[in-house]
Amino acid sequence: MELNELAEEMAPAAPLGSAEKPSAPKKVFLKTYGCQMNIYDSQRMSDALSADGYVATETVDDADLVLINTCHIREKAAEKVYSQLGRLRKIKAERAEHGREMMIGIAGCVAQAEGREILRRAPVVDLVIGPQTYHRLPDALKKVRGGEKVVETDYAIEDKFEHLPQPKRSEIIGRGMTAFLTVQEGCDKFCTFCVVPYTRGSEVSRPVAQIVAEAEKLAAAGVRELTLLGQNVNAWHGEGPDGSEWGLGRLLFRLAEIPGLARLRYTTSHPRDMDDELIAAHRDLPAVMPYLHLPVQSGSDRILKAMNRRHTGDDYLRLIDRIREARPDIAMSGDFIVGFPGETEADFEATLAMVRQVRYAQAFSFKYSPRPGTPGADMAGHVAEDVKDERLQRLQALLAEHQRDFTVGSVGKTMDLLIEKPGRQPGQRVGRSPWLQPVIVDEKAGEIGDIIKVRIIKAGPASLFAEPG
Ligand code: 5AD
Ligand code: SF4
């Protein structure tokens, strides 16, 4: 089949209702691109579709609905959507010849950013739905079945959290012992390279009571590790039960009281929002894992200024010193952009120097991709593609060296392991270390959901191997 690679890449976002329902259920092929927020949103769409009688399928071949949850962060990610739609057009046409229908929906940030333009460029699409309106998905599909083309991108973002479908207990368990929980959405930072403030809208925090209630429900269903999500998660703020102003640090202190929740993580953070209480949460709460994704993007003050990051390289390094003082074993993770407009060799070398100082355990690095409508796209001094390529290679080689050092440095260490699922090989189980490293153990070491002490005996290319320690 033509969309083999789609099917191969696809991991069902969530176990939709089982396929054993009496009348042939409608089937949805749901493909997710992009960040954890999209993975979380796909789970929510799955919940809404499941309630509407859909079951998941892992191939496009027998799908009644193909739904692509898209990412708009870089041009490559956005263009992928259109190349897939070309292939889907053929499959849909073949289907139609046999009198069978296939609906095609585009969700996510490309949907939000391009809206009706998608229908113009790809008339094969039936539905365009933005991230803030997924609760309207069943209604939108009803309209599509009635022969309409539907574009759902208008929203009052405050509504969004009010309409979260409530996943069933069995579904939570099916998703494993770890869960995401969105606490914040959107961003007001307006970094000059970034589309998020336009696609996800301005910053909205979910109220404390809602977050605590959902976290309690997840914990009661067996979830051991909770990752709080937000595009700018540490900008989260709310009002505590006594009317006082809470930041993310205070929220972590509250969530750490929930019985059963052994591990707390949060992503993605902005350096400007790392306040004292959040750093104290890393110091005082064993449940807050010693891993922090804190993107800096560049090590050059000139470029940081042009990016509107509103901090210097030195501010960032001093912040990391404070975080490491609070939690000496913390592993740092980051994001980098090379070839932002105006970036010289000296600017790029400042980025390499910063990487050498921080020694990231994990990092993501990208070539600058001009996004229409963002200030960066109109700046002077765009960097040639071959220069971007060369810089990215040098940066990635350095990051890979540090990452490897971090992995190899784990051998011989004793640590806690949360066993998450069966491993690829029979007789194995796989879990995560506190530093997010995948760790493989013998299945006799413990049950899924257990947190056990292990000793790392070997580092493979993608995972660590451990024995009970
Ligand atoms: N070009 C390249 N990388 C980008 N990112 C965001 N926007 C762009 C862009 N226009 C990267 C940043 C961000 C990560 C999610 O994606 O590093 O932190
Ligand atoms: Fe984009 Fe993050 Fe900057 Fe917000 S803080 S504009 S999400 S890069």
Side-chain angles (χ1 to χ4, degrees):
M1 69 152 220
E2 288 197 64
L3 282 181
N4 244 336
E5 77 249 52
L6 261 188
E8 272 166 24
E9 279 175 36
M10 139 114 193
L16 290 160
S18 84
E20 287 135 34
K21 289 191 182 157
S23 61
K26 296 168 283 183
K27 292 188 178 167
V28 54
F29 175 86
L30 174 54
K31 167 76 187 160
T32 307
Y33 290 101
C35 62
Q36 278 133 330
M37 186 73 88
N38 267 13
I39 296 172
Y40 176 85
D41 282 347
S42 284
Q43 286 177 352
R44 286 178 23 223
M45 284 194 276
S46 294
D47 293 335
L49 289 169
S50 173
D52 203 30
Y54 278 89
V55 297
T57 172
E58 297 197 11
T59 76
V60 173
D61 289 340
D62 62 349
D64 302 291
L65 167 65
V66 174
L67 194 56
I68 308 180
N69 191 1
T70 59
C71 172
H72 201 246
I73 198 93
R74 286 168 292 274
E75 191 182 359
K76 232 180 175 171
E79 279 307 315
K80 233 184 235 172
V81 177
Y82 287 103
S83 64
Q84 281 183 2
L85 284 173
R87 282 175 285 168
L88 283 170
R89 187 166 53 86
K90 287 188 204 141
I91 297 178
K92 185 166 171 161
E94 278 166 23
R95 283 283 190 88
E97 280 171 23
H98 295 95
R100 283 179 58 210
E101 283 200 40
M102 182 170 93
M103 292 187 283
I104 299 179
I106 301 296
C109 294
V110 175
Q112 190 63 40
E114 302 200 358
R116 203 158 283 282
E117 171 67 10
I118 296 177
L119 295 184
R120 202 191 59 74
R121 263 184 83 177
V124 68
V125 170
D126 301 294
L127 167 69
V128 175
I129 187 159
Q132 277 76 21
T133 48
Y134 293 149
H135 54 281
R136 291 189 221 141
L137 187 57
D139 280 347
L141 288 172
K142 208 180 285 168
K143 286 190 204 157
V144 171
R145 283 193 291 270
E148 271 182 66
K149 295 266 178 192
V150 179
V151 178
E152 279 278 11
T153 50
D154 290 337
Y155 61 92
I157 191 168
E158 295 76 9
D159 286 355
K160 172 176 182 168
F161 296 131
E162 303 288 324
H163 297 284
L164 285 173
Q166 291 303 322
K168 293 186 209 85
R169 188 188 155 88
S170 59
E171 290 164 357
I172 295 171
I173 290 169
R175 280 172 203 165
M177 302 298 142
T178 64
F180 292 135
L181 197 166
T182 296
V183 299
Q184 179 279 340
E185 182 146 7
C187 181
D188 295 333
K189 294 277 191 298
F190 290 93
C191 300
T192 53
F193 52 81
C194 186
V195 285
V196 166
Y198 311 95
T199 53
R200 292 277 177 166
S202 60
E203 203 273 308
V204 179
S205 290
R206 213 171 153 190
V208 172
Q210 265 190 28
I211 296 170
V212 172
E214 191 170 333
E216 282 173 342
K217 205 177 296 168
L218 290 165
V223 165
R224 311 281 340 256
E225 176 178 304
L226 197 58
T227 302
L228 308 182
L229 290 184
Q231 267 95 24
N232 208 175
V233 71
N234 59 345
W236 179 88
H237 55 98
E239 197 182 289
D242 59 352
S244 63
E245 178 73 12
W246 281 20
L248 190 68
R250 185 71 195 80
L251 182 66
L252 287 171
F253 277 93
R254 173 66 186 87
L255 295 176
E257 291 170 5
I258 298 177
L261 281 186
R263 291 180 162 195
L264 296 170
R265 304 181 186 275
Y266 58 94
T267 196
T268 286
S269 298
H270 191 289
R272 279 182 64 95
D273 294 318
M274 284 303 301
D275 64 15
D276 290 344
E277 197 162 22
L278 187 48
I279 296 176
H282 279 281
R283 185 191 59 212
D284 298 341
L285 296 173
V288 174
M289 290 291 101
Y291 182 97
L292 178 60
H293 184 62
L294 194 64
V296 67
Q297 317 295 354
S298 168
S300 152
D301 288 348
R302 230 171 50 80
I303 296 298
L304 286 169
K305 190 154 196 282
M307 286 176 163
N308 191 33
R309 295 289 292 180
R310 297 186 297 130
H311 63 79
T312 63
D314 207 46
D315 294 336
Y316 180 79
L317 289 172
R318 276 186 284 132
L319 172 62
I320 290 187
D321 285 345
R322 282 170 54 219
I323 297 166
R324 283 192 166 144
E325 217 168 280
R327 186 75 210 233
D329 64 343
I330 201 154
M332 294 302 305
S333 157
D335 290 346
F336 296 90
I337 296 176
V338 300
F340 187 76
E343 187 188 73
T344 61
E345 175 63 23
D347 292 319
F348 173 66
E349 278 169 18
T351 300
L352 294 179
M354 164 156 306
V355 168
R356 282 194 195 96
Q357 285 215 40
V358 177
R359 297 191 74 86
Y360 292 88
Q362 169 81 271
F364 306 90
S365 46
F366 313 97
K367 289 189 284 182
Y368 172 65
S369 164
R371 307 308 292 127
T374 60
D378 297 326
M379 284 181 186
H382 278 268
V383 175
E385 211 50 35
D386 58 339
V387 176
K388 285 187 199 171
D389 281 332
E390 187 258 349
R391 287 181 188 165
L392 187 67
Q393 270 185 28
R394 281 159 68 198
L395 175 60
Q396 290 188 339
L398 183 64
L399 291 167
E401 195 185 305
H402 294 170
Q403 204 170 324
R404 185 76 204 146
D405 288 350
F406 182 75
T407 306
V408 171
S410 302
V411 177
K413 280 195 180 150
T414 301
M415 58 183 69
D416 284 342
L417 175 66
L418 169 57
I419 305 180
E420 288 181 16
K421 55 185 176 193
R424 286 222 183 109
Q425 308 296 329
Q428 289 183 341
R429 290 213 164 119
V430 55
R432 297 254 177 196
S433 79
W435 300 279
L436 265 187
Q437 301 150 293
V439 181
I440 294 167
V441 283
D442 189 280
E443 65 182 353
K444 290 189 208 79
E447 296 303 317
I448 289 171
D450 286 352
I451 294 177
I452 57 167
K453 276 257 178 288
V454 295
R455 206 175 63 85
I456 305 297
I457 48 173
K458 195 171 82 176
S463 5
L464 299 170
F465 292 83
E467 58 187 23

